[in-house]
Amino acid sequence: MKRIGRREFIKITGRSLTLLLLGKSTMLPIPPPDAKASILGKDKKEIADGLDTVADSRNQFAMVKDVGACIGCRRCMWGCKKENNTPDVVSPPWIEVFELPIGTSVTTHPPLRDLRKGATTSYTESPKEGKWYLPVQCNHCDNPPCVKVCPTGATYKDKDGLVLMNYDKCIGCRICIVACPYSARRFNWLEFKLPSEEVNPLVPVRYLGVVEKCTFCVHRVREGKLPRCVEVCPVRARHFGNLKDPKGEIPKLLKANMSFRLLEDTNTYPNIWYITRGKKWVKE
Amino acid sequence: MTEDLLRPVMRTEKIYYLLGALVLVLFSLYIYTFYLQLARGHGFVTGQSTPVGAVWGIYAAIIVFFIGISHVGIGVSAATRLLNLDYLKPLARIAELLTLFCLPGAVLVIALDIGTPERFILNVMRYGRITAPFVWSATVISVYLFASIIYLYLSMRRDLSLAADLVPRWGRLYKLLALGYTDTHEERELHERTLWWLALVLIPIMVSVHSVYGFVFGLHGGRPGWFNPFMAPFFVLGAIINGFATLIVVVTIIRKVYKWEQFLSLQAIRNLGRFLCWMTLIYIYFSVSEYITYAYTPLAGEAYVIQTVLVGEFSIIFWPAMAALIIGFLILFLNQTVFSGQFNIWITVAGATLINIVLFVTRYLIVIPSQLRPLLPFPSGTYTPTLYEWGAFLGVTGFVFGAYIVFLKIFPVIEFPLIDEVEAKK
């Protein structure tokens, strides 16, 4: 057998590769963009949050929740579930409401002793005396840990401050769930079927194996409407608006009230503030 | 001599087919779990849940475990080359194979853990974002895997060309793979030099592979019990122990089965055991310092997690695991020192096996407890691995085992000694 030297080997390989590439480019028709997309399995419409909307960088959406007024009725939770096509198997839905004994702190992880006093999410009656109610959802943080760790950019921070999902990029690795200090993210653990008459056509229906979470009702707020949870709140404990608008409701509320945010030591700069303006507990 | 080394390739006993069948049965468990999960979802197959409960279950522990084992293979071989540890040379390839089989094994479990496995590799390549630990890990794992394959191949070329004429069944395959290698002096030199440089590059890649796995857990400020700069070195050390313990077991079994006592010397295995022994001691030291830090004046979240590990629901596996770690160390230590006269290789194997089991348990204890405690006042979740999840573990173990026996049947697994070396020995 003839020995082939290293140089010769490289030369031959190079030549054959060039030939192969040339041959390929001349012989095979280059597929049009659509055909390319269908090869990648993308012939269907993309499934993502806020598809037909445009983010405006003059907005920074924020929410103020008045825990002094909240009666823990969970209407926000169910309103959200219906609005956003959340199936029963995603449980709890995007909003979770806690019933907490008075004195339980949520600006950091509550100490064990406070937890044992009876913090719960599974209460059946509300409001109860001596308890307060804390609705929690995605905080659309300014420094979102979930976005940083996402390997595919499936979750991203948009120009108007919303943290959104592109479900078709999501590989379901769930590291965002691990990174989120607020446990605001949900995973599609099980198959489900939504009855088609109940589906809100403005919101994409997610599928098995991807992560989802509150979008601040991106399909509504970018059209100038309020998120569903704000709309359904019977005691006006929820306020929504643009943080960058100095005359807006949110900056005014924050100016007039003492506020706190959840788990502030995690350095996430949440866009949901909590105030205690409502006085439902004060008995004259 | 070469006939001795080629024995497994030339002859196939009946038991081999039995083992092959066992491997297939085991691997089908993995396939079954995978299929069910694809069809019905993770919630149907695993015990995982969110936000209350473990988001990553035992799969994560299995991944870290297999990556840990894979860590050492090429490492041992590279160190052998760089430090001229000639006595380790005969077991270099057996070690390299650990890397070659356990890394794909780990990737199999990653594919199982991922929610949408059909697009996981494609999407990470198309949209990969450099800030994500998983992108780092995908990068280093693939670099490590491909570098290892090249390394293994280059170091095998000589054996393939030598064995081509001796093995009628695989001769043509060997000839093809040897790519015209002739065992001349210059060619050998060239290979040695290439391998030396490759070994030099492989060592830092190897360290990075497991550091990245430490980062996957250690970078989350919002996870009590994980957020810890110690994570990366701790994982590297764990991987070294994991790998050496497995290597000792594998080498001893191969030595026994093929009666290769003259090639795989007792001294070599003994040295591996000695190294494992000291590394275990450092691991014990790392563990103690970590748990003291967690337990002394922890923040509220950490207090909760460490409480579940030390006295709560995980204490029933934590304390036995720690005891077993110390016993494993003592077994290795006493076998090497005090009872050095009666050194028994099977005692070392027993110690190594024990340490390996402990390492699996500690991985479990790293992964699970921190996930069960959300920072907000959710009720605490629980997690129990389901039979499916264990089945997947068995399946991947079967995969690695099967890959070994197939490789042993096709390729020479011990480097042929150089002729002059053999003569010098005589």
Side-chain angles (χ1 to χ4, degrees), chain B residues 14-57:
Chain B
K14 273 219 181 73
I15 182 116
Y16 177 80
Y17 295 105
L18 270 177
L19 283 176
L22 177 73
V23 163
L24 286 181
V25 168
L26 285 179
F27 192 64
S28 63
L29 291 178
Y30 170 87
I31 302 281
Y32 184 59
T33 306
F34 195 94
Y35 161 74
L36 266 188
Q37 207 167 262
L38 211 58
R40 312 286 293 270
H42 279 59
F44 183 76
V45 173
T46 68
Q48 305 167 15
S49 60
T50 180
V52 180
V55 175
W56 289 336

mmCIF file of all heavy atoms in Angstrom, chain B residues 14-57:
data_model
loop_
_atom_site.group_PDB
_atom_site.id
_atom_site.type_symbol
_atom_site.label_atom_id
_atom_site.label_comp_id
_atom_site.label_asym_id
_atom_site.label_seq_id
_atom_site.Cartn_x
_atom_site.Cartn_y
_atom_site.Cartn_z
ATOM 1 N N LYS B 14 -20.353 -18.786 26.336
ATOM 2 C CA LYS B 14 -21.821 -18.717 26.381
ATOM 3 C C LYS B 14 -22.300 -17.604 27.289
ATOM 4 O O LYS B 14 -23.266 -16.895 27.006
ATOM 5 C CB LYS B 14 -22.362 -20.060 26.887
ATOM 6 C CG LYS B 14 -22.567 -21.076 25.790
ATOM 7 C CD LYS B 14 -23.836 -21.871 26.025
ATOM 8 C CE LYS B 14 -24.049 -22.908 24.942
ATOM 9 N NZ LYS B 14 -23.121 -24.068 25.036
ATOM 10 N N ILE B 15 -21.590 -17.427 28.399
ATOM 11 C CA ILE B 15 -22.029 -16.445 29.396
ATOM 12 C C ILE B 15 -22.115 -15.051 28.790
ATOM 13 O O ILE B 15 -22.919 -14.219 29.203
ATOM 14 C CB ILE B 15 -21.075 -16.466 30.608
ATOM 15 C CG1 ILE B 15 -21.535 -15.489 31.712
ATOM 16 C CG2 ILE B 15 -19.682 -16.066 30.240
ATOM 17 C CD1 ILE B 15 -21.897 -16.168 32.964
ATOM 18 N N TYR B 16 -21.321 -14.853 27.746
ATOM 19 C CA TYR B 16 -21.326 -13.554 27.089
ATOM 20 C C TYR B 16 -22.711 -13.234 26.538
ATOM 21 O O TYR B 16 -23.220 -12.123 26.688
ATOM 22 C CB TYR B 16 -20.291 -13.559 25.970
ATOM 23 C CG TYR B 16 -20.281 -12.283 25.184
ATOM 24 C CD1 TYR B 16 -19.623 -11.163 25.680
ATOM 25 C CD2 TYR B 16 -20.919 -12.183 23.965
ATOM 26 C CE1 TYR B 16 -19.610 -9.979 24.983
ATOM 27 C CE2 TYR B 16 -20.921 -10.998 23.251
ATOM 28 C CZ TYR B 16 -20.259 -9.907 23.762
ATOM 29 O OH TYR B 16 -20.260 -8.748 23.074
ATOM 30 N N TYR B 17 -23.335 -14.243 25.933
ATOM 31 C CA TYR B 17 -24.662 -13.986 25.374
ATOM 32 C C TYR B 17 -25.678 -13.721 26.468
ATOM 33 O O TYR B 17 -26.580 -12.906 26.321
ATOM 34 C CB TYR B 17 -25.096 -15.173 24.509
ATOM 35 C CG TYR B 17 -24.204 -15.326 23.296
ATOM 36 C CD1 TYR B 17 -23.258 -16.338 23.229
ATOM 37 C CD2 TYR B 17 -24.293 -14.424 22.242
ATOM 38 C CE1 TYR B 17 -22.420 -16.450 22.137
ATOM 39 C CE2 TYR B 17 -23.460 -14.531 21.146
ATOM 40 C CZ TYR B 17 -22.524 -15.557 21.095
ATOM 41 O OH TYR B 17 -21.707 -15.644 20.018
ATOM 42 N N LEU B 18 -25.491 -14.434 27.589
ATOM 43 C CA LEU B 18 -26.371 -14.196 28.734
ATOM 44 C C LEU B 18 -26.253 -12.756 29.202
ATOM 45 O O LEU B 18 -27.244 -12.065 29.420
ATOM 46 C CB LEU B 18 -25.988 -15.145 29.874
ATOM 47 C CG LEU B 18 -26.716 -16.480 29.872
ATOM 48 C CD1 LEU B 18 -26.195 -17.354 30.998
ATOM 49 C CD2 LEU B 18 -28.211 -16.254 30.022
ATOM 50 N N LEU B 19 -24.995 -12.319 29.326
ATOM 51 C CA LEU B 19 -24.769 -10.941 29.766
ATOM 52 C C LEU B 19 -25.367 -9.960 28.772
ATOM 53 O O LEU B 19 -25.993 -8.967 29.156
ATOM 54 C CB LEU B 19 -23.276 -10.676 29.923
ATOM 55 C CG LEU B 19 -22.632 -11.258 31.176
ATOM 56 C CD1 LEU B 19 -21.139 -11.007 31.168
ATOM 57 C CD2 LEU B 19 -23.259 -10.665 32.418
ATOM 58 N N GLY B 20 -25.181 -10.271 27.494
ATOM 59 C CA GLY B 20 -25.736 -9.398 26.462
ATOM 60 C C GLY B 20 -27.243 -9.285 26.598
ATOM 61 O O GLY B 20 -27.820 -8.195 26.518
ATOM 62 N N ALA B 21 -27.901 -10.420 26.869
ATOM 63 C CA ALA B 21 -29.347 -10.407 27.038
ATOM 64 C C ALA B 21 -29.725 -9.562 28.246
ATOM 65 O O ALA B 21 -30.668 -8.752 28.197
ATOM 66 C CB ALA B 21 -29.859 -11.827 27.209
ATOM 67 N N LEU B 22 -28.966 -9.704 29.315
ATOM 68 C CA LEU B 22 -29.231 -8.932 30.530
ATOM 69 C C LEU B 22 -29.139 -7.441 30.231
ATOM 70 O O LEU B 22 -29.986 -6.633 30.637
ATOM 71 C CB LEU B 22 -28.234 -9.329 31.612
ATOM 72 C CG LEU B 22 -28.343 -8.541 32.911
ATOM 73 C CD1 LEU B 22 -29.586 -8.962 33.663
ATOM 74 C CD2 LEU B 22 -27.117 -8.718 33.780
ATOM 75 N N VAL B 23 -28.090 -7.085 29.483
ATOM 76 C CA VAL B 23 -27.894 -5.682 29.121
ATOM 77 C C VAL B 23 -29.081 -5.166 28.334
ATOM 78 O O VAL B 23 -29.608 -4.085 28.598
ATOM 79 C CB VAL B 23 -26.588 -5.523 28.321
ATOM 80 C CG1 VAL B 23 -26.571 -4.200 27.588
ATOM 81 C CG2 VAL B 23 -25.391 -5.646 29.237
ATOM 82 N N LEU B 24 -29.552 -5.977 27.392
ATOM 83 C CA LEU B 24 -30.687 -5.540 26.575
ATOM 84 C C LEU B 24 -31.933 -5.337 27.434
ATOM 85 O O LEU B 24 -32.677 -4.373 27.270
ATOM 86 C CB LEU B 24 -30.959 -6.545 25.465
ATOM 87 C CG LEU B 24 -29.951 -6.509 24.322
ATOM 88 C CD1 LEU B 24 -30.328 -7.533 23.257
ATOM 89 C CD2 LEU B 24 -29.894 -5.120 23.713
ATOM 90 N N VAL B 25 -32.114 -6.270 28.378
ATOM 91 C CA VAL B 25 -33.271 -6.139 29.270
ATOM 92 C C VAL B 25 -33.171 -4.840 30.057
ATOM 93 O O VAL B 25 -34.130 -4.061 30.150
ATOM 94 C CB VAL B 25 -33.349 -7.350 30.225
ATOM 95 C CG1 VAL B 25 -34.355 -7.097 31.327
ATOM 96 C CG2 VAL B 25 -33.716 -8.599 29.451
ATOM 97 N N LEU B 26 -31.967 -4.583 30.610
ATOM 98 C CA LEU B 26 -31.784 -3.371 31.394
ATOM 99 C C LEU B 26 -32.031 -2.128 30.541
ATOM 100 O O LEU B 26 -32.739 -1.213 30.930
ATOM 101 C CB LEU B 26 -30.369 -3.319 31.976
ATOM 102 C CG LEU B 26 -30.080 -4.242 33.153
ATOM 103 C CD1 LEU B 26 -28.633 -4.097 33.587
ATOM 104 C CD2 LEU B 26 -31.000 -3.916 34.311
ATOM 105 N N PHE B 27 -31.461 -2.136 29.353
ATOM 106 C CA PHE B 27 -31.573 -0.940 28.527
ATOM 107 C C PHE B 27 -33.018 -0.717 28.086
ATOM 108 O O PHE B 27 -33.456 0.415 27.917
ATOM 109 C CB PHE B 27 -30.645 -1.026 27.317
ATOM 110 C CG PHE B 27 -30.520 0.285 26.607
ATOM 111 C CD1 PHE B 27 -29.953 1.373 27.258
ATOM 112 C CD2 PHE B 27 -30.982 0.461 25.323
ATOM 113 C CE1 PHE B 27 -29.848 2.599 26.641
ATOM 114 C CE2 PHE B 27 -30.878 1.691 24.690
ATOM 115 C CZ PHE B 27 -30.315 2.761 25.356
ATOM 116 N N SER B 28 -33.759 -1.830 27.951
ATOM 117 C CA SER B 28 -35.147 -1.642 27.553
ATOM 118 C C SER B 28 -35.924 -0.906 28.644
ATOM 119 O O SER B 28 -36.920 -0.247 28.349
ATOM 120 C CB SER B 28 -35.797 -2.981 27.234
ATOM 121 O OG SER B 28 -35.804 -3.768 28.392
ATOM 122 N N LEU B 29 -35.464 -1.013 29.898
ATOM 123 C CA LEU B 29 -36.114 -0.242 30.965
ATOM 124 C C LEU B 29 -35.997 1.243 30.674
ATOM 125 O O LEU B 29 -36.950 2.014 30.837
ATOM 126 C CB LEU B 29 -35.461 -0.544 32.320
ATOM 127 C CG LEU B 29 -35.672 -1.926 32.894
ATOM 128 C CD1 LEU B 29 -34.914 -2.069 34.198
ATOM 129 C CD2 LEU B 29 -37.147 -2.166 33.122
ATOM 130 N N TYR B 30 -34.815 1.631 30.237
ATOM 131 C CA TYR B 30 -34.598 3.045 29.891
ATOM 132 C C TYR B 30 -35.531 3.449 28.746
ATOM 133 O O TYR B 30 -36.215 4.469 28.814
ATOM 134 C CB TYR B 30 -33.140 3.268 29.504
ATOM 135 C CG TYR B 30 -32.886 4.636 28.905
ATOM 136 C CD1 TYR B 30 -32.603 5.718 29.723
ATOM 137 C CD2 TYR B 30 -32.955 4.852 27.532
ATOM 138 C CE1 TYR B 30 -32.389 6.975 29.201
ATOM 139 C CE2 TYR B 30 -32.746 6.107 26.992
ATOM 140 C CZ TYR B 30 -32.458 7.157 27.832
ATOM 141 O OH TYR B 30 -32.260 8.398 27.304
ATOM 142 N N ILE B 31 -35.557 2.615 27.723
ATOM 143 C CA ILE B 31 -36.384 2.941 26.556
ATOM 144 C C ILE B 31 -37.844 3.087 26.966
ATOM 145 O O ILE B 31 -38.542 3.998 26.548
ATOM 146 C CB ILE B 31 -36.258 1.828 25.485
ATOM 147 C CG1 ILE B 31 -34.802 1.660 25.070
ATOM 148 C CG2 ILE B 31 -37.147 2.099 24.288
ATOM 149 C CD1 ILE B 31 -34.308 2.686 24.098
ATOM 150 N N TYR B 32 -38.284 2.172 27.838
ATOM 151 C CA TYR B 32 -39.675 2.186 28.267
ATOM 152 C C TYR B 32 -39.987 3.488 29.002
ATOM 153 O O TYR B 32 -40.992 4.150 28.721
ATOM 154 C CB TYR B 32 -39.958 0.967 29.153
ATOM 155 C CG TYR B 32 -41.389 0.851 29.565
ATOM 156 C CD1 TYR B 32 -42.394 0.741 28.618
ATOM 157 C CD2 TYR B 32 -41.760 0.861 30.907
ATOM 158 C CE1 TYR B 32 -43.713 0.640 28.981
ATOM 159 C CE2 TYR B 32 -43.081 0.763 31.287
ATOM 160 C CZ TYR B 32 -44.055 0.651 30.324
ATOM 161 O OH TYR B 32 -45.370 0.558 30.690
ATOM 162 N N THR B 33 -39.109 3.858 29.947
ATOM 163 C CA THR B 33 -39.314 5.112 30.672
ATOM 164 C C THR B 33 -39.351 6.286 29.708
ATOM 165 O O THR B 33 -40.205 7.168 29.801
ATOM 166 C CB THR B 33 -38.181 5.322 31.690
ATOM 167 O OG1 THR B 33 -38.099 4.182 32.515
ATOM 168 C CG2 THR B 33 -38.431 6.542 32.535
ATOM 169 N N PHE B 34 -38.426 6.281 28.771
ATOM 170 C CA PHE B 34 -38.327 7.372 27.813
ATOM 171 C C PHE B 34 -39.613 7.473 26.999
ATOM 172 O O PHE B 34 -40.177 8.549 26.829
ATOM 173 C CB PHE B 34 -37.135 7.122 26.884
ATOM 174 C CG PHE B 34 -36.723 8.331 26.106
ATOM 175 C CD1 PHE B 34 -35.723 9.151 26.582
ATOM 176 C CD2 PHE B 34 -37.331 8.654 24.901
ATOM 177 C CE1 PHE B 34 -35.341 10.281 25.890
ATOM 178 C CE2 PHE B 34 -36.962 9.778 24.197
ATOM 179 C CZ PHE B 34 -35.958 10.587 24.689
ATOM 180 N N TYR B 35 -40.066 6.330 26.565
ATOM 181 C CA TYR B 35 -41.276 6.311 25.737
ATOM 182 C C TYR B 35 -42.474 6.834 26.519
ATOM 183 O O TYR B 35 -43.220 7.691 26.049
ATOM 184 C CB TYR B 35 -41.545 4.891 25.226
ATOM 185 C CG TYR B 35 -42.963 4.700 24.772
ATOM 186 C CD1 TYR B 35 -43.393 5.251 23.573
ATOM 187 C CD2 TYR B 35 -43.881 4.030 25.568
ATOM 188 C CE1 TYR B 35 -44.706 5.129 23.173
ATOM 189 C CE2 TYR B 35 -45.193 3.901 25.180
ATOM 190 C CZ TYR B 35 -45.601 4.443 23.983
ATOM 191 O OH TYR B 35 -46.902 4.334 23.597
ATOM 192 N N LEU B 36 -42.638 6.300 27.729
ATOM 193 C CA LEU B 36 -43.778 6.725 28.547
ATOM 194 C C LEU B 36 -43.744 8.219 28.781
ATOM 195 O O LEU B 36 -44.754 8.911 28.718
ATOM 196 C CB LEU B 36 -43.723 6.019 29.898
ATOM 197 C CG LEU B 36 -44.490 4.738 30.050
ATOM 198 C CD1 LEU B 36 -44.460 4.312 31.508
ATOM 199 C CD2 LEU B 36 -45.920 4.921 29.598
ATOM 200 N N GLN B 37 -42.550 8.723 29.030
ATOM 201 C CA GLN B 37 -42.394 10.126 29.349
ATOM 202 C C GLN B 37 -42.733 10.999 28.153
ATOM 203 O O GLN B 37 -43.349 12.042 28.268
ATOM 204 C CB GLN B 37 -40.962 10.371 29.782
ATOM 205 C CG GLN B 37 -40.818 11.529 30.696
ATOM 206 C CD GLN B 37 -39.466 11.515 31.327
ATOM 207 O OE1 GLN B 37 -39.301 11.065 32.443
ATOM 208 N NE2 GLN B 37 -38.491 11.991 30.619
ATOM 209 N N LEU B 38 -42.316 10.536 27.001
ATOM 210 C CA LEU B 38 -42.588 11.283 25.775
ATOM 211 C C LEU B 38 -44.092 11.311 25.514
ATOM 212 O O LEU B 38 -44.664 12.309 25.093
ATOM 213 C CB LEU B 38 -41.857 10.606 24.613
ATOM 214 C CG LEU B 38 -41.388 11.481 23.469
ATOM 215 C CD1 LEU B 38 -40.452 12.553 23.997
ATOM 216 C CD2 LEU B 38 -40.677 10.636 22.431
ATOM 217 N N ALA B 39 -44.737 10.166 25.784
ATOM 218 C CA ALA B 39 -46.144 10.062 25.467
ATOM 219 C C ALA B 39 -47.029 10.691 26.543
ATOM 220 O O ALA B 39 -48.006 11.357 26.224
ATOM 221 C CB ALA B 39 -46.511 8.591 25.281
ATOM 222 N N ARG B 40 -46.693 10.485 27.799
ATOM 223 C CA ARG B 40 -47.597 10.910 28.864
ATOM 224 C C ARG B 40 -47.068 12.086 29.674
ATOM 225 O O ARG B 40 -47.805 12.654 30.456
ATOM 226 C CB ARG B 40 -47.869 9.736 29.822
ATOM 227 C CG ARG B 40 -48.228 8.443 29.146
ATOM 228 C CD ARG B 40 -49.635 8.454 28.597
ATOM 229 N NE ARG B 40 -50.644 8.493 29.633
ATOM 230 C CZ ARG B 40 -51.169 7.407 30.189
ATOM 231 N NH1 ARG B 40 -50.782 6.225 29.843
ATOM 232 N NH2 ARG B 40 -52.104 7.537 31.107
ATOM 233 N N GLY B 41 -45.800 12.407 29.562
ATOM 234 C CA GLY B 41 -45.262 13.536 30.304
ATOM 235 C C GLY B 41 -44.463 13.134 31.528
ATOM 236 O O GLY B 41 -44.592 12.028 32.038
ATOM 237 N N HIS B 42 -43.641 14.068 31.984
ATOM 238 C CA HIS B 42 -42.805 13.815 33.155
ATOM 239 C C HIS B 42 -43.636 13.544 34.397
ATOM 240 O O HIS B 42 -43.238 12.794 35.269
ATOM 241 C CB HIS B 42 -41.904 15.018 33.429
ATOM 242 C CG HIS B 42 -40.689 15.071 32.571
ATOM 243 N ND1 HIS B 42 -40.744 15.118 31.198
ATOM 244 C CD2 HIS B 42 -39.381 15.079 32.888
ATOM 245 C CE1 HIS B 42 -39.528 15.157 30.723
ATOM 246 N NE2 HIS B 42 -38.676 15.138 31.723
ATOM 247 N N GLY B 43 -44.783 14.212 34.465
ATOM 248 C CA GLY B 43 -45.616 14.069 35.656
ATOM 249 C C GLY B 43 -46.128 12.654 35.827
ATOM 250 O O GLY B 43 -46.363 12.197 36.935
ATOM 251 N N PHE B 44 -46.290 11.942 34.729
ATOM 252 C CA PHE B 44 -46.794 10.576 34.788
ATOM 253 C C PHE B 44 -45.707 9.605 35.249
ATOM 254 O O PHE B 44 -45.966 8.659 35.980
ATOM 255 C CB PHE B 44 -47.300 10.170 33.397
ATOM 256 C CG PHE B 44 -47.912 8.808 33.353
ATOM 257 C CD1 PHE B 44 -49.183 8.605 33.854
ATOM 258 C CD2 PHE B 44 -47.219 7.740 32.812
ATOM 259 C CE1 PHE B 44 -49.756 7.354 33.819
ATOM 260 C CE2 PHE B 44 -47.784 6.482 32.781
ATOM 261 C CZ PHE B 44 -49.058 6.292 33.285
ATOM 262 N N VAL B 45 -44.486 9.877 34.821
ATOM 263 C CA VAL B 45 -43.405 8.917 35.036
ATOM 264 C C VAL B 45 -42.644 9.184 36.330
ATOM 265 O O VAL B 45 -42.311 8.269 37.069
ATOM 266 C CB VAL B 45 -42.431 8.960 33.835
ATOM 267 C CG1 VAL B 45 -41.217 8.117 34.104
ATOM 268 C CG2 VAL B 45 -43.141 8.493 32.585
ATOM 269 N N THR B 46 -42.361 10.468 36.592
ATOM 270 C CA THR B 46 -41.466 10.785 37.699
ATOM 271 C C THR B 46 -42.238 11.290 38.906
ATOM 272 O O THR B 46 -43.428 11.582 38.819
ATOM 273 C CB THR B 46 -40.464 11.880 37.290
ATOM 274 O OG1 THR B 46 -41.193 13.102 37.118
ATOM 275 C CG2 THR B 46 -39.774 11.542 36.002
ATOM 276 N N GLY B 47 -41.524 11.419 40.002
ATOM 277 C CA GLY B 47 -42.122 11.979 41.204
ATOM 278 C C GLY B 47 -41.933 13.475 41.312
ATOM 279 O O GLY B 47 -42.167 14.070 42.355
ATOM 280 N N GLN B 48 -41.507 14.094 40.218
ATOM 281 C CA GLN B 48 -41.188 15.520 40.282
ATOM 282 C C GLN B 48 -42.454 16.373 40.189
ATOM 283 O O GLN B 48 -43.448 15.963 39.612
ATOM 284 C CB GLN B 48 -40.258 15.892 39.125
ATOM 285 C CG GLN B 48 -39.013 15.049 39.077
ATOM 286 C CD GLN B 48 -38.266 15.210 37.766
ATOM 287 O OE1 GLN B 48 -38.512 16.133 37.009
ATOM 288 N NE2 GLN B 48 -37.343 14.305 37.507
ATOM 289 N N SER B 49 -42.350 17.575 40.728
ATOM 290 C CA SER B 49 -43.457 18.509 40.619
ATOM 291 C C SER B 49 -42.939 19.911 40.911
ATOM 292 O O SER B 49 -41.832 20.087 41.390
ATOM 293 C CB SER B 49 -44.571 18.154 41.596
ATOM 294 O OG SER B 49 -44.072 18.195 42.908
ATOM 295 N N THR B 50 -43.750 20.897 40.588
ATOM 296 C CA THR B 50 -43.401 22.276 40.865
ATOM 297 C C THR B 50 -44.685 23.057 41.096
ATOM 298 O O THR B 50 -45.708 22.677 40.551
ATOM 299 C CB THR B 50 -42.610 22.876 39.683
ATOM 300 O OG1 THR B 50 -42.281 24.213 39.989
ATOM 301 C CG2 THR B 50 -43.404 22.867 38.388
ATOM 302 N N PRO B 51 -44.701 24.142 41.870
ATOM 303 C CA PRO B 51 -43.601 24.736 42.616
ATOM 304 C C PRO B 51 -43.301 24.032 43.936
ATOM 305 O O PRO B 51 -42.289 24.320 44.557
ATOM 306 C CB PRO B 51 -44.108 26.145 42.886
ATOM 307 C CG PRO B 51 -45.585 26.001 42.941
ATOM 308 C CD PRO B 51 -45.931 24.922 41.976
ATOM 309 N N VAL B 52 -44.205 23.153 44.367
ATOM 310 C CA VAL B 52 -43.958 22.423 45.606
ATOM 311 C C VAL B 52 -43.460 21.043 45.231
ATOM 312 O O VAL B 52 -44.157 20.318 44.545
ATOM 313 C CB VAL B 52 -45.244 22.325 46.442
ATOM 314 C CG1 VAL B 52 -44.982 21.568 47.711
ATOM 315 C CG2 VAL B 52 -45.783 23.699 46.726
ATOM 316 N N GLY B 53 -42.257 20.694 45.683
ATOM 317 C CA GLY B 53 -41.674 19.403 45.300
ATOM 318 C C GLY B 53 -40.414 19.635 44.518
ATOM 319 O O GLY B 53 -39.986 20.771 44.333
ATOM 320 N N ALA B 54 -39.813 18.554 44.058
ATOM 321 C CA ALA B 54 -38.533 18.676 43.376
ATOM 322 C C ALA B 54 -38.746 18.883 41.877
ATOM 323 O O ALA B 54 -39.482 18.145 41.244
ATOM 324 C CB ALA B 54 -37.693 17.435 43.616
ATOM 325 N N VAL B 55 -38.117 19.917 41.340
ATOM 326 C CA VAL B 55 -38.213 20.192 39.907
ATOM 327 C C VAL B 55 -37.307 19.256 39.118
ATOM 328 O O VAL B 55 -37.640 18.812 38.033
ATOM 329 C CB VAL B 55 -37.835 21.647 39.640
ATOM 330 C CG1 VAL B 55 -37.811 21.916 38.167
ATOM 331 C CG2 VAL B 55 -38.801 22.573 40.311
ATOM 332 N N TRP B 56 -36.150 19.021 39.679
ATOM 333 C CA TRP B 56 -35.261 17.996 39.124
ATOM 334 C C TRP B 56 -35.259 16.873 40.134
ATOM 335 O O TRP B 56 -35.054 17.099 41.326
ATOM 336 C CB TRP B 56 -33.836 18.510 39.006
ATOM 337 C CG TRP B 56 -33.635 19.531 37.948
ATOM 338 C CD1 TRP B 56 -34.387 19.729 36.831
ATOM 339 C CD2 TRP B 56 -32.585 20.505 37.899
ATOM 340 N NE1 TRP B 56 -33.870 20.758 36.100
ATOM 341 C CE2 TRP B 56 -32.771 21.247 36.727
ATOM 342 C CE3 TRP B 56 -31.521 20.804 38.722
ATOM 343 C CZ2 TRP B 56 -31.916 22.293 36.373
ATOM 344 C CZ3 TRP B 56 -30.683 21.824 38.375
ATOM 345 C CH2 TRP B 56 -30.876 22.560 37.202
ATOM 346 N N GLY B 57 -35.421 15.696 39.662
ATOM 347 C CA GLY B 57 -35.448 14.600 40.609
ATOM 348 C C GLY B 57 -34.129 13.862 40.612
ATOM 349 O O GLY B 57 -33.060 14.453 40.478
#
